């Protein structure tokens, strides 16, 4: 029920989806810093790939020297040289 009210209020007030929903918000600064908000869990990480689970599916970051610099309950910061990122799986309603 709350989700229904939350969506309705968001639509009426024209809030962006990342504010209203549980979808990820990704901020990339250059090729060296990535901030991800609203992730569920870290599925895999190495210096070449970091895979995160979100409410809208998995997110893959690929690069060189990738490091998890800040890890909080709902956000994290990745540093290193980013080559690419992509989305996989999940169902968007």
């Amino acid at each position: 029920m709350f989700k229904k009210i939350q969506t309705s209020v968001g639509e009426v007030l024209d809030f962006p989806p990342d504010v209203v929903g549980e979808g990820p918000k990704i901020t990339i600064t250059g090729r060296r810093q990535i901030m991800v908000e609203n992730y569920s869990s870290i599925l895999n990480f190495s210096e070449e790939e970091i895979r995160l689970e979100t409410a809208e599916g998995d997110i893959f970051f690929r690069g060189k020297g990738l490091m998890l610099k800040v890890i909080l309950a709902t956000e994290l910061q990745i540093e290193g040289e980013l080559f690419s990122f992509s989305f996989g799986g999940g169902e968007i309603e």
Side-chain angles (χ1 to χ4, degrees), residues 2 39 57 66 90:
F2 179 70
Y39 77 100
L66 298 177

Side-chain angles (χ1 to χ4, degrees), residues 2-34:
F2 179 70
K3 190 166 187 87
K4 194 177 226 182
I5 293 170
Q6 186 178 22
T7 301
S8 299
V9 170
E11 289 173 1
V12 170
L13 298 177
D14 199 26
F15 286 152
D18 63 304
V19 172
V20 176
E22 297 175 7
K25 178 180 178 184
I26 304 165
T27 306
I28 300 174
T29 305
R31 294 179 71 127
R32 308 279 315 154
Q33 189 176 55
I34 305 147

Side-chain angles (χ1 to χ4, degrees), residues 1-3 5 7 30 34 36 39 45 48 57 60 63-64 78:
M1 171 136 177
F2 179 70
K3 190 166 187 87
I5 293 170
T7 301
I34 305 147
V36 181
Y39 77 100
F45 71 93
E48 290 81 34
F60 301 86
K64 180 178 172 184
I78 302 168

Side-chain angles (χ1 to χ4, degrees), residues 3 6-7 16-27 35-40 53-57 59 74-75 87 91-93:
K3 190 166 187 87
Q6 186 178 22
T7 301
D18 63 304
V19 172
V20 176
E22 297 175 7
K25 178 180 178 184
I26 304 165
T27 306
M35 178 66 79
V36 181
E37 298 174 62
N38 299 331
Y39 77 100
S40 302
E53 179 181 25
T54 74
E56 295 182 358
I59 303 173
T74 60
E75 66 183 63
F87 299 95
E91 295 179 20
I92 299 175
E93 298 176 15

Side-chain angles (χ1 to χ4, degrees), residues 44-65:
N44 181 43
F45 71 93
S46 69
E47 289 188 4
E48 290 81 34
E49 179 182 89
I50 296 176
R51 180 179 169 200
L52 304 176
E53 179 181 25
T54 74
E56 295 182 358
D58 295 351
I59 303 173
F60 301 86
F61 296 94
R62 292 179 179 85
K64 180 178 172 184

